[in-house]
Amino acid sequence: MGKKIIVVGASSGIGKAIAEQELNAGSSVVLLARREKSLESIAKKANSSKEKRAFPLVFDVTKFVTAEKTFQKAVSLLGGVDEVYFASGVMPEIGKQEYNVSKDLEMLNVNLIGAVAFLNPVATFFTKQKSGKIIGISSIAGERGRKGNPVYNTSKAGLNTYLEALRNRLSEVNVQVTTIKPGFVKTEMTDGLVLPEKGLLKAITADEAAEKIRAIVASGKDEAFVPGIWALVALIIRNIPNFIFKKLSI
């Protein structure tokens, strides 16, 4: 019998790739995102006249007051839940000297507060169930305060801390919380960025990222970089002295 999975941010990028791979593996998946047509397209490919395993459900993560009700509806559609992926994220382009509160609030609301609003009810449910897996898709960007996009970094650093706190709490009731920190991944969010095509840090596809993430989750790890080489990059970045780091154009 397949797993019962909820994917928040299932209409594109890593979230879509995870949802499609899990459906192909026999899991039942509730697909949450704002873009109804994209969700319906994924579900149409997965469902047959005899079996329905993909359930599209329109949801805006910034509508915080609807998060708990949406989660409960997703659980009802599945008849339970084993794993919840939070893969929603935005990263608008920020100019070198741009300080844009509207863009900043969007990033905080989607990347961080949206995760808290949705995953708090998940944590409550899994605590009572005494089992389950929560997977948050964060970013290498959360490792330091880079000058390129200050609030994107902040949103991901905050997500990392929140997921770590959940992990420490929920470890007492046999619930796994995994933080995923991707490096360069080719998605709609990174369209327009110049990503490396060769070398150790070359950009990977969303499908490649999803395969690695699913393997990491199955292994039970607390956190992991995708691909793994980014763990070394993160170690180096974290240990660059401040007086040097602030001069770097990253």
Side-chain angles (χ1 to χ4, degrees):
M1 185 174 179
K3 296 179 290 184
K4 299 174 180 179
I5 295 175
I6 297 170
V7 180
V8 185
S11 63
S12 65
I14 293 174
K16 178 182 178 182
I18 289 170
E20 289 178 332
Q21 289 180 19
E22 285 294 344
L23 286 166
N24 289 337
S27 298
S28 296
V29 182
V30 170
L31 310 159
L32 297 179
R34 290 180 299 176
R35 289 178 282 188
E36 186 174 12
K37 289 184 178 180
S38 296
L39 298 181
E40 289 178 346
S41 176
I42 298 168
K44 186 176 181 180
K45 293 177 183 177
N47 293 332
S48 66
S49 58
K50 295 182 179 180
E51 184 181 31
K52 184 177 181 181
R53 290 187 293 104
F55 304 90
L57 192 57
V58 176
F59 173 58
D60 183 343
V61 299
T62 66
K63 307 297 184 184
F64 310 129
V65 295
T66 69
E68 184 169 3
K69 185 180 291 187
T70 301
F71 170 66
Q72 295 297 343
K73 184 173 182 179
V75 173
S76 178
L77 287 169
L78 291 170
V81 63
D82 302 308
E83 299 179 3
V84 176
Y85 286 82
F86 189 90
S88 289
V90 294
M91 186 180 64
E93 184 178 352
I94 301 292
K96 290 184 178 180
Q97 300 301 325
E98 181 180 9
Y99 298 91
N100 188 309
V101 174
S102 178
K103 292 180 180 180
D104 291 345
L105 287 176
E106 181 188 13
M107 286 185 279
L108 290 171
N109 286 338
V110 174
N111 301 351
L112 177 56
I113 303 175
V116 173
F118 193 85
L119 295 180
N120 275 356
V122 177
T124 300
F125 182 91
F126 281 162
T127 296
K128 294 176 182 177
Q129 183 171 274
K130 296 190 184 304
S131 66
K133 296 180 181 182
I134 294 173
I135 304 93
I137 310 300
S138 185
S139 171
I140 181 72
E143 298 301 296
R144 286 291 289 268
R146 299 175 299 111
K147 64 178 68 173
N149 195 327
V151 177
Y152 182 76
N153 304 334
T154 301
S155 69
K156 292 302 187 179
L159 179 60
N160 292 344
T161 301
Y162 170 68
L163 291 171
E164 181 181 17
L166 277 190
R167 179 161 51 248
N168 294 339
R169 274 194 174 197
L170 296 177
S171 64
E172 299 176 358
V173 288
N174 193 41
V175 174
Q176 175 184 326
V177 179
T178 301
T179 305
I180 302 295
K181 301 177 179 180
F184 297 133
V185 181
K186 299 174 184 177
T187 65
E188 288 183 22
M189 192 172 72
T190 58
D191 278 351
L193 299 180
V194 179
L195 302 179
E197 296 289 340
K198 299 179 180 180
L200 292 175
L201 302 183
K202 69 178 181 180
I204 61 174
T205 66
D207 283 329
E208 290 171 323
E211 288 179 5
K212 295 178 185 297
I213 290 167
R214 291 174 61 238
I216 290 164
V217 173
S219 75
K221 290 183 179 179
D222 288 345
E223 66 173 32
F225 292 85
V226 175
I229 185 63
W230 287 96
L232 176 59
V233 175
L235 179 63
I236 294 169
I237 288 175
R238 286 195 298 266
N239 287 281
I240 297 174
N242 287 331
F243 74 93
I244 295 176
F245 192 78
K246 68 182 180 181
K247 295 179 180 179
L248 301 178
S249 296
I250 60 174

